[in-house]
């Protein structure tokens, strides 16, 4: 885990990323000491000027608020109140800075079918990538992961209301690791915006859940 969030963020920003918000320091400090699930009111959500998300890492950690801090090379860096930087591309988890037992690299992101949104998916959609994983003692490199997809139309509870949504289930198999797992992405049926993502990290950690709240 990262022990000091603000110096880390400063180093990321000064390395040349594009800055997307001017109130991140106050927001991070406000949430930093919370040990319970963070739940914002609709008024608090409406007042946030930069994109934010609820984030939950595994079952043992509380829900926190992640704030989009910078975007670089099409990858978004979300700074959280529990001292992590989550890196995503089109909603896809790429890596978690400062956390052992997590992915550290994902290949073929330019061919990730999720980059084109929900409309392009069918039962025939396929995607293969190679992933590097960090463990407590080493980095496991170049593990193949193959994905197939299912699309479902559902009613979904998003924040304080029920909406019609589309659930994308990503069925993943890693022949190299002898591992299979499912990722889940939920999109607003009308706007087609991603609302929620639940993505597998490692057997030790479990899943990362992100709810995009504004």
């Amino acid at each position: 885990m990262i022990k000091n969030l603000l110096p880390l963020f400063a180093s990321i920003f000064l390395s040349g990323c594009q800055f997307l918000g001017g109130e991140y320091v106050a927001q991070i400090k406000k949430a930093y000491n919370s040990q319970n699930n963070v739940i914002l009111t609709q008024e608090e959500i409406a007042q946030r000027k930069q994109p934010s998300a609820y984030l939950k890492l595994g079952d043992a950690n509380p829900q926190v608020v992640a704030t989009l801090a910078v975007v670089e090379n099409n990858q978004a860096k979300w700074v959280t109140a529990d001292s992590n930087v989550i890196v995503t591309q089109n909603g896809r988890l790429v890596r978690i800075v400062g956390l052992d037992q997590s992915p550290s690299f994902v290949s073929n992101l330019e061919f990730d079918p999720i980059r084109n949104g929900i409309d392009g998916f069918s039962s025939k959609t396929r995607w293969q990538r190679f992933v590097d994983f960090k463990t407590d003692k080493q980095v496991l490199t170049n593990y193949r992961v193959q994905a197939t997809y299912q699309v479902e139309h559902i009613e979904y509870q998003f924040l304080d209301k029920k909406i019609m949504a589309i659930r994308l289930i990503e069925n993943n198999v890693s022949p190299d690791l002898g591992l299979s797992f499912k990722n889940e992405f939920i999109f607003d049926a009308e706007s087609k915006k991603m609302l929620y993502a639940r993505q597998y990290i490692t057997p030790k950690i479990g899943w990362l859940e992100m709810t995009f709240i504004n």
Side-chain angles (χ1 to χ4, degrees):
M1 288 289 184
I2 299 166
K3 300 302 183 183
N4 193 327
L5 176 62
L6 297 181
L8 173 65
F9 176 82
S11 70
I12 293 172
F13 173 65
L14 292 173
S15 68
C17 300
Q18 180 184 359
F19 177 53
L20 294 183
E23 298 180 353
Y24 65 93
V25 173
Q27 293 171 349
I28 291 168
K29 285 182 176 179
K30 180 179 179 181
Y32 189 81
N33 293 321
S34 175
Q35 298 299 315
N36 301 314
N37 286 340
V38 176
I39 300 176
L40 302 177
T41 67
Q42 288 300 306
E43 182 179 0
E44 289 173 323
I45 292 172
Q47 291 174 349
R48 298 179 76 88
K49 294 183 179 180
Q50 63 258 48
S52 301
Y54 288 137
L55 187 148
K56 186 171 175 58
L57 184 66
D59 293 329
N61 297 301
Q63 174 178 280
V64 300
V65 174
T67 301
L68 179 62
V70 292
V71 171
E72 184 180 35
N73 298 326
N74 297 319
Q75 294 189 348
K77 293 180 173 66
W78 303 81
V79 182
T80 75
D82 61 343
S83 306
N84 286 301
V85 177
I86 310 299
V87 182
T88 63
Q89 185 165 328
N90 300 313
R92 168 82 54 191
L93 174 65
V94 177
R95 64 186 183 276
I96 303 175
V97 180
L99 178 67
D100 291 331
Q101 294 283 341
S102 68
S104 57
F105 172 78
V106 180
S107 76
N108 291 340
L109 288 171
E110 66 273 28
F111 301 111
D112 185 350
I114 210 169
R115 75 194 187 283
N116 295 322
I118 187 62
D119 286 338
F121 283 91
S122 73
S123 60
K124 296 181 180 180
T125 303
R126 300 288 187 273
W127 182 47
Q128 178 172 279
R129 74 271 198 193
F130 292 86
V131 181
D132 295 350
F133 291 95
K134 291 171 56 181
T135 70
D136 291 329
K137 298 181 180 180
Q138 60 183 327
V139 175
L140 307 176
T141 60
N142 214 32
Y143 283 90
R144 181 170 39 132
V145 181
Q146 300 166 320
T148 60
Y149 297 88
Q150 299 168 251
V151 177
E152 301 175 347
H153 292 262
I154 61 170
E155 188 177 57
Y156 178 63
Q157 182 71 40
F158 180 64
L159 303 179
D160 64 341
K161 60 183 179 181
K162 287 186 177 181
I163 64 170
M164 298 309 297
I166 303 171
R167 175 191 285 134
L168 177 68
I169 300 172
E170 183 180 74
N171 302 293
N172 295 279
V173 176
S174 175
D176 303 326
L177 294 172
L179 179 70
S180 63
F181 58 93
K182 294 180 184 290
N183 290 334
E184 179 182 358
F185 304 89
I186 294 178
F187 299 79
D188 184 296
E190 183 175 352
S191 69
K192 306 301 174 64
K193 291 182 178 180
M194 187 183 293
L195 304 176
Y196 171 85
R198 183 176 188 264
Q199 301 179 70
Y200 184 78
I201 303 177
T202 65
K204 183 176 180 178
I205 301 295
W207 274 264
L208 173 76
E209 296 180 70
M210 293 186 75
T211 301
F212 302 96
I213 59 179
N214 66 345

